[in-house]
């Protein structure tokens, strides 16, 4: 059974996005619903016109916000740029979730991947297709062939399970891809 996604409920999605409840427009589509989207939408329809309705509270009660990957990493400005970049690989690497976390994620927009991968960082908490090719060039210079192989294996996983490599490993990217870099990887 395919799980409905937040963006499929236009009124709720538009209300939250246009209400600027969350500082970044990418946050809400990346949230994990605490119950089925159908039930959340039904509850929203029932209480949205109430005088005491709080959209902020509704979102907080019904969705788990994506983890903010803030780390204690601080750049050492005395190190050469190459060393700085090599230190960042571990900060930007994401690992497969444990089975319980995967089950929770499956209710959200993130498509879990079986192998570690590098993300751009900041608000981008997922792998991106053609960006990863350029990331791999940097990984190659750093001798991180292990991560390159893992990322290629993740793209193979996406091809096997979706039929192609979407723009990124989010369900809302399933309708589009990017220029074909897989063979170059």
């Amino acid at each position: 059974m395919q799980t409905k996604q937040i963006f499929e409920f236009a009124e709720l999605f538009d209300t939250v996005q246009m209400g600027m409840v969350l500082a970044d427009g990418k946050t809400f589509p990346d949230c994990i619903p605490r119950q089925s989207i159908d039930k959340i939408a039904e509850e929203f329809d029932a209480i949205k016109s109430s005088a005491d309705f709080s959209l902020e509270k509704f979102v907080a009660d019904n969705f788990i916000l994506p983890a903010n990957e803030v780390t204690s990493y601080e750049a050492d400005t005395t190190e050469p740029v190459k060393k700085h970049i090599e230190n960042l690989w571990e900060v930007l690497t994401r690992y497969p979730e444990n089975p319980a976390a995967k089950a929770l994620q499956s209710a959200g927009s993130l498509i879990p991947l079986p192998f570690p991968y590098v993300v751009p960082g900041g608000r981008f908490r997922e792998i991106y297709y053609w960006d990863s090719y350029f990331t791999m060039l940097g990984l190659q210079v750093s001798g991180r062939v292990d991560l390159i192989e893992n990322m290629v294996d993740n793209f193979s996983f996406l091809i096997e399970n979706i039929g192609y490599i979407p723009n990124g490993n989010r369900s809302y990217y399933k309708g589009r891809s990017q220029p074909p870099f897989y063979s170059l990887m």
Side-chain angles (χ1 to χ4, degrees), residues 3-164:
T3 304
K4 288 187 179 174
Q5 297 292 309
I6 296 167
F7 57 86
E8 293 180 272
F9 289 90
E11 183 181 6
L12 172 59
F13 187 78
D14 290 348
T15 301
V16 172
Q17 294 294 71
M18 299 307 286
M20 297 179 18
V21 173
L22 303 166
D24 183 349
K26 188 174 179 324
T27 303
F28 191 54
D30 293 354
C31 284
I32 299 170
R34 294 182 188 273
Q35 59 182 331
S36 81
I37 291 290
D38 288 324
K39 287 183 181 180
I40 293 172
E42 187 178 301
E43 182 181 337
F44 176 75
D45 286 340
I47 65 172
K48 68 185 179 193
S49 299
S50 301
D52 61 345
F53 177 71
S54 165
L55 187 57
E56 291 83 0
K57 182 176 179 344
F58 181 83
V59 170
D61 289 348
N62 286 285
F63 297 94
I64 300 168
L65 273 59
N68 187 357
E69 297 289 338
V70 174
T71 67
S72 59
Y73 177 79
E74 270 188 53
D76 181 348
T77 57
T78 64
E79 289 183 335
V81 172
K82 183 178 181 197
K83 179 69 174 154
H84 169 74
I85 292 169
E86 288 173 351
N87 291 339
L88 283 175
W89 294 135
E90 202 54 42
V91 174
L92 297 173
T93 299
R94 301 295 175 263
Y95 295 89
E97 301 287 334
N98 65 46
K102 265 189 186 178
L104 182 61
Q105 283 289 359
S106 70
S109 63
L110 187 68
I111 301 167
L113 297 174
F115 303 100
Y117 55 94
V118 178
V119 299
R123 69 194 285 251
F124 302 104
R125 298 173 285 271
E126 56 279 310
I127 198 170
Y128 284 86
Y129 181 16
W130 78 327
D131 304 53
S132 293
Y133 170 73
F134 298 103
T135 298
M136 289 177 189
L137 295 177
L139 288 167
Q140 184 179 26
V141 171
S142 295
R144 294 301 309 268
V145 176
D146 59 319
L147 267 174
I148 295 170
E149 290 174 348
N150 284 331
M151 291 168 69
V152 171
D153 288 344
N154 281 326
F155 289 128
S156 297
F157 169 84
L158 290 169
I159 291 169
E160 290 167 12
N161 288 277
I162 297 174
Y164 61 95

